[in-house]
């Protein structure tokens, strides 16, 4: 927790352009804390969700799973469909969680776009956290 608090504090104090690149699984509160950036890029193939797709399926499709014959296979199939439909990069852009969904090659051009952005703040005498 201490390292996460330091990371969040450093992230909040940053005066340069903040870019969040989501490449793997952004599940839970870590996405909320760290993806609040000037530009959020979701790379194709990533998962953006408040809950793991397998856990979400067990809650949302409980009746279907109980009526099925093989719960493990049905859960895996529904979780894959749920992840593709609701938790994909394109779904994150539609929901407003990301600014763009790209392939890996487009990340460099997006970073070049923000290379000159600076935020003006009052000078500090000293910081609050020791890093």
């Amino acid at each position: 927790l201490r390292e996460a608090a330091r990371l969040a504090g450093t992230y909040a104090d940053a005066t340069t352009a903040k870019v969040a690149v989501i490449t793997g699984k952004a599940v839970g509160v870590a996405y909320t804390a760290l993806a609040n950036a000037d530009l959020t890029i979701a790379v194709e193939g990533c998962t953006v969700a408040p809950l793991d797709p397998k856990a979400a399926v067990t809650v949302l499709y409980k009746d279907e799973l109980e009526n099925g014959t093989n719960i493990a296979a049905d859960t895996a199939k529904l979780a894959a469909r749920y992840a593709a439909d609701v938790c994909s990069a394109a779904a994150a852009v539609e929901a407003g969680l990301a600014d763009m969904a790209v392939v890996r090659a487009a990340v460099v051009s997006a970073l070049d776009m923000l290379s000159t952005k600076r935020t003006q703040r009052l000078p500090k005498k000293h910081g609050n956290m020791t890093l």
Side-chain angles (χ1 to χ4, degrees), residues 19-126:
V19 178
V21 180
I22 304 168
T23 57
K25 284 188 172 185
V27 178
V29 297
Y31 169 78
T32 306
L34 297 176
N36 185 15
D38 298 319
L39 180 65
T40 304
I41 303 168
V43 176
E44 292 295 331
C46 72
T47 302
V48 181
L51 186 63
D52 186 55
K54 195 170 187 177
V57 164
T58 59
V59 173
L60 295 173
Y61 301 107
K62 181 182 176 191
D63 295 334
E64 283 183 39
L65 292 173
E66 288 178 351
N67 294 335
T69 57
N70 189 351
I71 294 176
D74 292 342
T75 302
K77 186 171 66 172
L78 285 172
R81 189 176 77 202
Y82 181 82
D85 294 342
V86 179
C87 305
S88 66
V93 172
E94 288 178 20
L97 301 173
D99 296 319
M100 64 177 77
V102 298
V103 292
R104 294 181 194 272
V107 173
V108 174
S109 63
L111 292 175
D112 188 38
M113 178 178 68
L114 291 174
S115 65
T116 59
K117 182 177 184 206
R118 296 280 185 249
T119 302
Q120 298 295 325
R121 291 189 177 177
L122 296 173
K124 290 184 180 180
K125 194 171 188 181
H126 51 77

